[in-house]
Amino acid sequence: MNVKPFLDDDFILQGDAAKILFHKYAESQPVFDFHNHLLPQEIFENKPLGNLANAWLDHDHYKWRAMRSAGIPEELITGHLRKDGTVKSVEERGGKEAVEKSDYERYLAFVRTLRLCLGNPLYHWSYLELRRYFGISRPLSEQNAREIWDECNALLAKEDYAPRGLLERQNVRQLCTTDDPLDDLRYHKKIAADWKSARVLPSFRPDAVLAAENSGFADYLARLQDLTGTVIKSVSDMIAALEIRMDFFRECGCVVSDHSLEGDFYIPAGYDEVNRIFEAARCGTELSREQIAKYKGWVLVALGRLYARKGFVMQIHIGALRDNNHAMLSLAGKNIGEDSLHDFNFAPQIGAVLNAIYSAEPEARTILYNLNPKDNEALATMAANFCNCQFGPAWWFNDHKDGIENQLRVYSRTAVLGRHIGMLTDSRSFLSYPRHEYFRRILCNFVGSRVEQGEFPWDEDLLGRMIEGICYKNAVDFFRI
């Protein structure tokens, strides 16, 4: 049978134009990962990741989700983790011999899962990870699982396979972690002082101050007050305290903020009404959905205007429905792969928020991400209403071949493809960086196919520069690095 080799040098690239664009212009571009969930402490400490189960499975909820779908027992997925996401000690897990046995069993369970994952991006990601980091191109099976386990573990024991070495292998030049405004950023400062291969920058993510409906809201404000040396008696006092933290983040290299919006987030309201809602939330009063939306909308606009003045790009992620399996939440905690797409109509709300920000701060820069693909066209056309507002790259459940191609199609027909800011990992795993290569192959095939079909002329210089921009340079310019 005549079949194309799996994951060869021209993986995904279907024509000569696509192959030239990738190998000549995209392949060697550096990586700017402007949204991820890597832990700066792990980058600073630079400790070996352990065995392949640790490197592959400890922080990757995409893999956990697939394993659950395959019927794998939870003990082999998150049974080694505490509810806060940290890894149990060797003693907690029964000693070294028990840990080694259970880690290999976890790895083998994922091997069995992966073999069934036709069509799931995990299949491509996992094999790209094996090839780019460990030089392994042969398909995994239960028969060769031990052999590949031993090969990978031998490399993971080496110093240049610790977190920094893995980032250097993928030519990562800048990355932005996700950080609470109360974080002291000590590890960002330490990294900046002793590692020059890449810049590890914080992102300002004030989810806690938007979640006025949460039980911990008052305690969070007390901590913000103590940290900034301010007195917070009103919603404007809270914004002033957050501005102090923004300035601190900016001194540590921050260029971006981030917000996750998971329900209605804007109803117009004046300051006095919003301040009454703020005071009620501080006292623990239960808020109505309307009050929550009024409060969030006012705070989003106030923060968005501040971000523009500070030179921060404002990222807005819309549409996650989190922690759907309450039994699993109780057993293993948050961020374990029990989330899905939300379905609510937010176009008028995001339009109102952007209009209020840009009318006051026309130099604002924003990126809009949607989780539900039904919202692609709405969000893309909304972004095009405002200068320096981007329809963000395919995010989370859209981060696969079909989703990336669809994002590129929608982006190219509603905006200017040459200004696209490229890809991100949105990952907690140090092995996730071949996802940038995955995006770049899909991008080059998308552009190359238009040339092959006679829809765009073959102008190698123009297209090559456009590909270089999308892969790296546009993001550097957009974030003003």
Side-chain angles (χ1 to χ4, degrees):
M1 183 169 60
N2 184 24
V3 297
K4 193 176 187 293
F6 173 61
L7 210 72
D8 65 359
D9 288 344
D10 293 328
F11 174 58
I12 295 179
L13 309 172
Q14 297 299 313
D16 290 340
K19 294 172 186 177
I20 291 169
L21 291 174
F22 178 74
H23 292 301
K24 190 172 179 179
Y25 298 99
E27 190 171 21
S28 62
Q29 287 297 307
V31 169
F32 176 16
D33 191 31
F34 46 86
H35 178 65
N36 65 71
H37 297 274
L38 295 178
L39 297 177
Q41 181 176 352
E42 292 184 353
I43 299 174
F44 170 70
E45 292 176 346
N46 202 35
K47 295 177 180 177
L49 297 183
N51 56 46
L52 186 55
N54 303 138
W56 239 0
L57 301 175
D58 276 0
H59 299 299
D60 198 331
H61 61 79
Y62 291 92
K63 293 184 173 76
W64 297 344
R65 190 177 178 89
M67 293 169 76
R68 286 194 198 99
S69 295
I72 302 298
E74 194 64 30
E75 180 61 29
L76 294 176
I77 303 173
T78 58
H80 64 296
L81 296 177
R82 303 183 185 95
K83 283 186 68 173
D84 64 0
T86 59
V87 179
K88 293 178 181 177
S89 69
V90 172
E91 291 73 24
E92 287 176 288
R93 296 172 64 192
K96 183 177 180 182
E97 184 175 332
V99 169
E100 289 174 350
K101 182 176 183 292
S102 66
D103 281 347
Y104 183 75
E105 289 174 348
R106 290 168 56 217
Y107 157 74
L108 196 59
F110 179 65
V111 170
R112 295 182 182 125
T113 300
L114 189 63
R115 287 174 59 77
L116 304 176
C117 280
L118 176 67
N120 192 309
L122 266 179
Y123 197 84
H124 291 160
W125 293 348
S126 298
Y127 277 104
L128 283 171
E129 289 161 8
L130 284 175
R131 178 165 288 198
R132 297 299 172 246
Y133 292 113
F134 306 106
I136 293 171
S137 58
R138 56 197 185 278
L140 265 170
S141 67
E142 291 186 58
Q143 287 70 40
N144 67 11
R146 172 65 72 173
E147 174 187 322
I148 289 175
W149 167 265
D150 290 339
E151 287 183 37
C152 293
N153 290 348
L155 291 172
L156 286 167
K158 295 183 177 181
E159 184 177 349
D160 59 348
Y161 274 77
R164 296 186 190 185
L166 294 172
L167 294 170
E168 289 169 355
R169 284 176 181 276
Q170 288 297 300
N171 200 14
V172 178
R173 298 283 181 83
Q174 298 94 6
L175 64 89
C176 298
T177 59
T178 302
D179 308 279
D180 188 275
L182 303 187
D183 198 299
D184 62 14
L185 305 182
R186 71 178 73 177
Y187 292 109
H188 292 85
K189 296 176 184 177
K190 291 180 177 182
I191 294 166
D194 79 347
W195 189 44
K196 305 304 178 185
S197 295
R199 296 183 67 190
V200 179
L201 309 175
S203 297
F204 190 85
R205 182 156 173 163
D207 287 352
V209 296
L210 270 96
E213 70 275 20
N214 285 357
S215 59
F217 182 65
D219 288 341
Y220 189 89
L221 291 179
R223 292 167 59 204
L224 175 64
Q225 181 174 261
D226 291 344
L227 185 62
T228 56
T230 60
V231 176
I232 298 178
K233 293 184 177 180
S234 65
V235 68
S236 58
D237 290 339
M238 181 188 75
I239 297 298
L242 288 170
E243 183 175 8
I244 293 172
R245 297 306 295 165
M246 285 184 208
D247 289 338
F248 170 69
F249 268 58
R250 186 170 60 173
E251 290 170 5
C252 295
C254 182
V255 295
V256 62
S257 69
D258 188 29
H259 295 271
S260 179
L261 304 179
E262 297 155 13
D264 289 332
F265 55 85
Y266 184 85
I267 294 175
Y271 175 82
D272 289 341
E273 182 178 7
V274 170
N275 199 49
R276 286 194 295 272
I277 297 169
F278 170 82
E279 290 171 347
R282 287 192 73 179
C283 295
T285 303
E286 185 175 351
L287 303 180
S288 68
R289 292 179 64 181
E290 180 178 340
Q291 287 176 312
I292 292 168
K294 287 179 177 180
Y295 170 81
K296 286 187 177 180
W298 191 92
V299 173
L300 274 173
V301 170
L303 291 175
R305 291 173 175 176
L306 268 180
Y307 297 146
R309 295 173 207 150
K310 306 293 180 184
F312 288 10
V313 172
M314 184 181 190
Q315 294 182 110
I316 301 176
H317 292 82
I318 307 174
L321 189 61
R322 299 182 188 272
D323 304 321
N324 294 281
N325 187 331
H326 291 182
M328 282 301 305
L329 177 65
S330 177
L331 176 69
K334 300 176 73 66
N335 301 317
I336 60 166
E338 296 294 328
D339 311 312
S340 56
L341 311 180
H342 207 333
D343 186 17
F344 69 107
N345 297 318
F346 59 80
Q349 298 180 59
I350 192 63
V353 168
L354 293 173
N355 186 57
I357 292 171
Y358 277 85
S359 62
E361 300 292 339
E363 300 302 313
R365 296 185 177 218
T366 52
I367 308 174
L368 309 178
Y369 306 83
N370 58 292
L371 197 55
N372 195 325
K374 78 172 180 61
D375 299 317
N376 280 354
E377 301 276 357
L379 209 59
T381 54
M382 182 62 69
N385 293 327
F386 301 92
C387 186
N388 284 321
C389 184
Q390 283 266 348
F391 174 42
W395 168 50
W396 199 348
F397 291 117
N398 299 313
D399 185 4
H400 45 73
K401 187 170 181 287
D402 292 341
I404 293 169
E405 288 174 343
N406 195 37
Q407 197 273 348
L408 291 171
R409 278 193 291 271
V410 172
Y411 191 106
S412 62
R413 67 174 174 252
T414 59
V416 178
L417 183 61
R419 293 292 305 279
H420 195 292
I421 56 173
M423 200 52 183
L424 46 79
T425 63
D426 188 33
S427 176
R428 292 168 170 79
S429 171
F430 285 102
L431 294 186
S432 65
Y433 279 89
R435 295 182 198 177
H436 282 265
E437 176 189 341
Y438 193 55
F439 166 80
R440 292 171 181 186
R441 287 179 178 273
I442 295 167
L443 168 68
C444 291
N445 195 61
F446 175 84
V447 174
S449 66
R450 300 308 187 268
V451 173
E452 299 277 352
Q453 295 163 15
E455 297 179 16
F456 203 88
W458 175 242
D459 183 335
E460 183 179 338
D461 181 61
L462 171 67
L463 294 174
R465 283 187 283 109
M466 185 176 77
I467 292 295
E468 289 176 343
I470 295 171
C471 291
Y472 179 69
K473 296 176 182 177
N474 290 355
V476 171
D477 291 342
F478 190 77
F479 287 85
R480 293 171 284 203
I481 293 293

